[in-house]
Each structure stands twice: as C-alpha cells, then as structure tokens.
Amino acid sequence: MLSVLRNRIYRHLFTAQVIALVGTGLATVALGLLAYDVAGADAGSVLGTALAIKMVAYVTIAPAIGAVADRLPRRALMVGADLTRAAVALMLPFVDQVWQVYVLIFLLQAASAAFTPTFQAVIPDVLPEERDYTQALSLSRLAYDLESLFSPALAAALLSVITYNWLFLGTTAGFLASAALVVSAVLPKPLATTTPRAGSVYAKATAGTRLFFATPQLRALLALNPAVAAASAMVTVNSVVYVRDQLGRSAADVSLALGAYGGGSMIVALILPRVLDRASDRAVMLPGALLLTLVFAALGAVTAAGSGGWQWPALLFIWAAFGAACSMVLTPTGRLIRRSVPPEERTSAFAAQFSLSHSCWLLTYPLAGWLGAEAGLQSAVVALGAIVLTAGLLAVRLWPTKNRLVVEHEHRDLRDGHPHLVDAVRGPNGWRHSHDCLADALHRR
C-alpha cells in the first residue's frame, strides 16, 4: 500500500492532509476547553451548537465551491482554504464571547468545506491508475482513524506542559505546513477540460446533486450515506453514555471504546485494496451496509441485557464491528465516484457527496443524542437501526447489477446546439455516449 507514496505529488498532498488532520484534532481538544472558559456549565450547549454550525457550513458551502471550482486554479483554492483556517485558528485564543466562537467555527469549517472536496477531486488526476487510487483511498481512511487516536494523546501530552491556548498555535502551524506542501506540489491538469458550465449560480451549485440523482450507482450511494451516519452517530454521541452510565466504567474506558471503533475501521482499510482488486465496489459496499444492521441488532441485545462482566468486551467488539462496516462503505466511495462521472464533473460530484453525507450527520447526531437522553438507549438503537436497515435495502434495490456505469447528463449537441439529456456509459474503453456528439470525443480516453 505504501508504494503509492513514491509518487512525489501524492506524497506531498497526503502529508499535507495528515498534518492538517493533526492540527484539526488539537483544535478540537482546545475548543472544548475554550468553551468551558467562555460558557462554564453551558459548555456542552456551546459545543453542540458549534457542531451543528460545522455541519451547516459543510452542507451549504461545498456545493457553492463546486459551482465555481471550474473557474479557479485548484492549488490556489486549497492553499487559500489552508491560509483561512490558519488565520481563524490564530484568532481563537483571543475569543471571550460565545458568538465569536460560532462565527470563527463557521469560517473554519467553511474553509474545510472548500479544501476537502477539491483535494478529493485532485487525487484521481494525480493517480490515474485505479489500483494506485484504491490504495490512496485506504491510506486516507487510515489517516482519519489514526488522527482520532493520535491527536487526543498528543494534546494530553502537550497540556501537561502548556496551556490549551497554545494548542491553537499548533493548529495554525499545521495548516500553514499543509499550505506549503500544496504549493510545493505541481498539480496535473484535469484529465478533461471543458468550457465553464453555463447557467445560474443555483444550477451550478446543484449540478453535483443532480448528477447523483441521474446516476443509478450514485443514487445507491445516497441511500448508503444515512446508514453510515446513523452508525457513526451512535458511536460518537452515545459511547460515553454506554461506558459511564450503562456499564459504570471509568472515563479512560471511553477512549478505549472509541479506539475499538477506529481499530475496526483501520483493519478493513488495510485489507480492502487487495479485496477490491478482485471484487466490485458494489460487492463490498452493500454487504458493509447490511452488516451495520446486524451490528445494531447485537447492540440492542447488549443494551437490553442485565448487568454482567461480558458486556464490556461485547461492547468493544460491537464498536469494532461498527468501524469495520463503516469502512467497507466509506473507503471505496471515492473510487465509485471517480468511476461513475466524467473527469470534468469530479469536483462537483465530490462536493455533492461531501455536502449530502454531512447533511445526514446533521440529522443523525441530534437524533442519537435526543433519543438516548429522552427515550433511553434502547429507543435510540431501534430508531437508528431502522434507518440503517431501510437505507441498506434501498441501496440494494437502487444499485444496478450490470457491469457498466451510467450517468445521464446534459450537453450541447452538434446537430442543433441545444442541450440534450443523454447517457454517458463507462465501458472497458472509457466513456462513450448513446449517440454521436461533440462530447463523445471529450469523454473518450
């Protein structure tokens, strides 16, 4: 898997991603302490609102970036996002009002919503071979999982010798280093170039979403998003409730539970490149979604059972299974998008996935928390498990079994110069259309 790092451009971009993730992890720890200083006992409410603001920024800003991405140099867009994030992190230590926290968090996450889809759309051009790109997706999944384990430990070590405000300086340094690495990478030109899309700003911003609804396998991905969101929300929101309240264990065991989730995800990310050499995305992602249903059933049994020493190892196993199943869906997602859309539509497609997937988290995070607190953990398990089951069955129904990838899209036909909705089919020889047109030459490789 590490052989893909021999590519200098990808190595610089991947290092930039890792450093930025560590900086973000440090900021997450520091933000919790800042919220306590500013709001005291209301710190939980402040952090909950900040999380909601983060998701709103992701849902709204990513499509807007997709609308203008074809007019902006990709490297300049990513560097600008990193510099914005660095500037915001530098201002956070001076905050003394709750509203200031909200404004700066929105700016920080808006910049992240610009950076991440652009970064994701660049990697297929840097690594055009599917095997290399699959390995890059697994490395990216590993980077996210390792960050969730490493950043809190690093923050704890640093806080033993410095105050939390200095953690924001570490975040700033991370984003500046990320910007420098992106500048040092000479990005390849997009594999296909077209004139900027015509139409209103709204039409451009929703182009990626319309592409998802027009493409059978991407419609299935739309169904898979709430399944992953429901499972990750259950782990993220209710781990502390299970560990501290349900099982009566120590605060340190919360980290162990979250670590089990990350461990399950990492194991699958390490295995998948070889599996995907022989299996299709469909054969991996759909079983991952259906496995989530079985894991929720197991969690329901543990939740309903009385006290017993077996429950703690059972919970760790269930959390690891959640991580593994989510990784089965998440890791191949970039590959599916890359194979499903023409090259010039990738940024819009990745921006749409970024926005649509986070809109699911925007719904499932409060649902997991509210149901767990008001109706009990068992009600949360049943409700979120029902979402996973429905989403998984819908995805199976929507995802065609034919060995081809199809996307309907509009372009101007040579015959009359007017837009027509046609099929672009990716077969063994690349993209082709259902009739002779100018775009036929643009999509063939």
Side-chain angles (χ1 to χ4, degrees):
M1 182 189 299
L2 295 179
S3 61
V4 74
L5 294 174
R6 294 172 185 168
N7 183 304
R8 180 181 181 276
I9 297 174
Y10 175 71
R11 184 169 66 249
H12 282 221
L13 293 177
F14 177 71
T15 305
Q17 179 191 25
V18 170
I19 293 174
L21 282 174
V22 173
T24 302
L26 294 178
T28 300
V29 175
L31 186 62
L33 297 171
L34 173 65
Y36 185 79
D37 270 1
V38 173
D42 293 329
S45 175
V46 172
L47 288 175
T49 304
L51 181 62
I53 289 172
K54 170 184 175 179
M55 294 300 171
V56 169
Y58 282 177
V59 170
T60 58
I61 299 299
I65 294 300
V68 300
D70 56 352
R71 300 177 181 271
L72 299 174
R74 297 183 294 182
R75 183 165 61 172
L77 183 57
M78 289 191 289
V79 171
D82 269 338
L83 294 178
T84 300
R85 294 193 289 186
V88 171
L90 197 59
M91 288 188 283
L92 279 169
F94 303 101
V95 163
D96 59 5
Q97 299 291 328
V98 170
W99 68 267
Q100 295 170 350
V101 174
Y102 296 155
V103 171
L104 291 178
I105 289 299
F106 180 83
L107 292 175
L108 179 69
Q109 303 305 337
S112 294
F115 181 93
T116 303
T118 307
F119 175 88
Q120 292 172 335
V122 164
I123 301 303
D125 291 342
V126 174
L127 301 171
E129 295 295 328
E130 187 163 281
R131 182 183 179 89
D132 292 339
Y133 181 58
T134 301
Q135 293 177 351
L137 291 175
S138 291
L139 279 177
S140 181
R141 184 77 253 152
L142 285 171
Y144 278 104
D145 292 331
L146 286 172
E147 181 277 325
S148 67
L149 301 175
F150 175 74
S151 291
L154 177 61
L158 291 174
L159 287 172
S160 66
V161 293
I162 61 175
T163 62
Y164 75 84
N165 282 334
W166 290 96
L167 295 182
F168 289 119
L169 291 182
T171 301
T172 301
F175 289 137
L176 290 177
S178 174
L181 286 164
V182 173
V183 168
S184 70
V186 180
L187 302 183
K189 294 182 179 179
L191 294 180
T193 57
T194 60
T195 55
R197 292 189 301 269
S200 66
V201 173
Y202 175 79
K204 294 178 183 178
T206 57
T209 301
R210 286 185 282 112
L211 189 64
F212 265 67
F213 281 102
T215 311
Q217 61 275 12
L218 295 186
R219 285 198 292 268
L221 180 56
L222 285 177
L224 293 174
N225 284 335
V228 173
S232 61
M234 192 70 200
V235 172
T236 303
V237 174
N238 287 320
S239 285
V240 66
V241 182
Y242 270 102
V243 174
R244 298 288 283 153
D245 187 50
Q246 182 89 351
L247 302 180
R249 300 188 69 90
S250 68
D253 286 336
V254 176
S255 297
L256 289 178
L258 294 174
Y261 175 83
S265 178
M266 286 188 287
I267 290 172
V268 169
L270 286 169
I271 295 172
L272 274 185
R274 291 187 179 183
V275 174
L276 291 171
D277 281 344
R278 300 184 297 272
S280 66
D281 299 329
R282 186 181 191 275
V284 172
M285 297 173 72
L286 292 183
L290 297 177
L291 176 60
L292 285 174
T293 303
L294 297 179
V295 180
F296 263 103
L299 180 61
V302 171
T303 306
S307 60
W310 61 272
Q311 287 181 302
W312 171 236
L315 184 71
L316 292 178
F317 177 81
I318 288 170
W319 257 223
F322 269 136
C326 286
S327 189
M328 290 174 66
V329 179
L330 290 173
T331 303
T333 294
R335 197 174 92 142
L336 177 65
I337 294 173
R338 172 184 177 269
R339 299 177 66 225
S340 301
V341 302
E344 68 273 14
E345 301 289 351
R346 282 179 187 158
T347 302
S348 293
F350 277 105
Q353 168 61 10
F354 190 82
S355 173
L356 293 168
S357 62
H358 283 88
S359 67
C360 295
W361 277 307
L362 181 60
L363 295 175
T364 55
Y365 275 143
L367 180 62
W370 180 82
L371 282 175
E374 299 296 328
L377 288 174
Q378 189 73 327
S379 296
V381 171
V382 171
L384 294 174
I387 291 174
V388 169
L389 176 61
T390 303
L393 294 177
L394 181 60
V396 171
R397 181 177 179 82
L398 290 174
W399 199 324
T401 58
K402 294 179 182 179
N403 188 26
R404 67 175 191 166
L405 297 172
V406 182
V407 54
E408 292 180 339
H409 69 286
E410 285 187 359
H411 64 85
R412 294 189 179 276
D413 194 304
L414 280 176
R415 295 170 297 176
D416 55 16
H418 295 295
H420 295 276
L421 190 65
V422 301
D423 282 348
V425 181
R426 180 171 178 162
N429 298 318
W431 289 96
R432 62 181 177 82
H433 287 75
S434 58
H435 63 75
D436 292 331
C437 58
L438 175 62
D440 192 38
L442 292 176
H443 289 308
R444 281 180 182 156
R445 292 193 276 174

